[in-house]
Amino acid sequence: MFDRTVLEAPSVEVAPLLLGSVLHGRGVSVRLTEVEAYLGEADPGSHAFRGPTPRNRVMYGEPGHLYTYFTYGMHVCANVVCSPAGTATAVLLRAGEVIGGLDLARERRTTSRVDADLARGPARLVVALGIVLGDNGLDLAAGEVMLELSNERPPFLQGPRTGVSGAGGTADYPWRFWIPGDPSVSPYKASAAAKRSGSATL
DNA sequence: GTCGAGATTATCT
DNA sequence: GATAATCTCGACC
């Protein structure tokens, strides 16, 4: 359960609040350590940039729901819908630390050799939680996948988004947030940042 | 440890 | 028909 009004804010404000929060999905619990904000039609990197489509209509719905989508032919990513109905902003869940249902998470992610890799990356996190494409639109307050907002405000860093192709995948939109020093984030962040712009450490 | 290239399919133009 | 909010594997240091 959570206070849905918190999620009515724009995704850039919600994103840091999700850090440290816990997502429970079908027997596995993950503490979020890295997220990314998407600002709907104002954001060239968002699926909603070119207006509503059958796929992204969930983002236009009420906050606190799950938005899932298929990408690169074989991966599913998950977002938390933010902002009031009619506004298409969302927060992409990029990485987290498995804190419950460890054995089950290991079964789902047989390619991970260390626990820190179980939910390191958007598609990996989705697999670890047992989320599938059909969960699109699920209510995170009462569904099989539940969000538990943290009362704490862990320290976080902010930087350019990664993996976004075309316009929008630049430092013009520094809407990636992560908890510094967490093992489920650091290697990913370091190599991706170095690859893009030399060094993006803040 | 870091770096580079290929895989594979739903969705949109 | 082109594109994509990625992952994995193999080569190299």
Side-chain angles (χ1 to χ4, degrees), chain A residues 24-125:
Chain A
H24 305 280
R26 300 191 171 105
V28 173
S29 299
V30 168
R31 173 176 168 266
L32 299 174
T33 56
E34 185 181 2
V35 298
E36 209 165 85
Y38 285 85
L39 260 65
E41 297 177 355
D43 178 2
S46 171
H47 287 162
F49 179 57
R50 289 178 292 188
T53 65
R55 177 173 60 170
N56 65 29
R57 70 170 172 279
V58 171
M59 274 202 288
Y60 288 85
E62 64 174 25
H65 286 245
L66 191 67
Y67 167 52
T68 59
Y69 64 90
F70 220 90
T71 188
Y72 286 94
M74 42 185 153
H75 298 296
V76 176
C77 296
N79 301 248
V80 175
V81 175
C82 303
S83 302
T87 310
T89 81
V91 176
L92 170 68
L93 309 175
R94 288 201 63 85
E97 168 195 10
V98 177
I99 60 172
L102 204 51
D103 289 337
L104 189 51
R106 287 183 184 132
E107 277 184 38
R108 289 171 177 162
R109 299 234 50 255
T110 54
T111 53
S112 290
R113 293 187 228 173
V114 295
D115 291 344
D117 279 353
L118 289 173
R120 190 182 71 187
R124 292 165 165 182
L125 185 144

